[in-house]
């Protein structure tokens, strides 16, 4: 899988970190199902972040620490709205999270 495909998939940050909760309490997901349906899943650390061009999202560069499923590239771009009310997930430098997409 190419790096751009993984980035374009907007790997959902934090989707797996909270177990059943996905970014906010309004959406519930099953961790095993998310991994089963994802092409790639991995554990990574957020290396740096910046605002998207329109200022509505945060883009994080994530260094892959361990593959859970598939063969992720060494670094992946992850995007999330940074507004909890919109079910975004706060992407903070240094955080270690599981990702799937």
């Amino acid at each position: 899988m190419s790096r751009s495909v993984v980035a374009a998939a907007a790997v959902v940050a934090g989707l797996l970190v909270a177990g059943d909760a996905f970014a906010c309490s309004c959406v519930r997901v099953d961790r095993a199902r998310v991994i089963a349906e994802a092409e790639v899943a991995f554990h990574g650390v957020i290396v740096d972040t910046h605002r998207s061009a329109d200022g509505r999202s945060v883009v994080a560069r994530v260094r892959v620490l361990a593959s859970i499923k598939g063969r992720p590239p060494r670094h992946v771009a992850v995007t999330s709205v940074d507004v909890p009310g919109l079910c975004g997930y706060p992407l903070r430098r240094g955080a270690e999270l599981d990702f799937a997409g």
Side-chain angles (χ1 to χ4, degrees), residues 1-83:
M1 173 177 285
S2 76
R3 181 178 181 180
S4 61
V5 172
V6 174
V11 182
V12 179
L15 184 60
L16 306 175
V17 73
D20 289 309
F22 159 58
C24 64
S25 61
C26 61
V27 178
R28 308 290 288 176
V29 296
D30 176 71
R31 184 181 195 277
R33 182 176 176 188
V34 171
I35 291 172
E37 292 177 0
E39 202 170 320
V40 175
F42 60 92
H43 182 77
V45 62
I46 298 175
V47 178
D48 57 48
T49 64
H50 65 274
R51 288 262 172 219
S52 62
D54 65 8
R56 296 180 183 178
S57 301
V58 173
V59 180
R61 185 167 60 100
V62 178
R63 182 170 39 103
V64 175
L65 299 175
S67 176
I68 297 170
K69 179 181 179 183
R71 296 178 63 174
R74 218 180 274 193
H75 288 91
V76 177
V78 177
T79 303
S80 177
V81 292
D82 196 20
V83 180

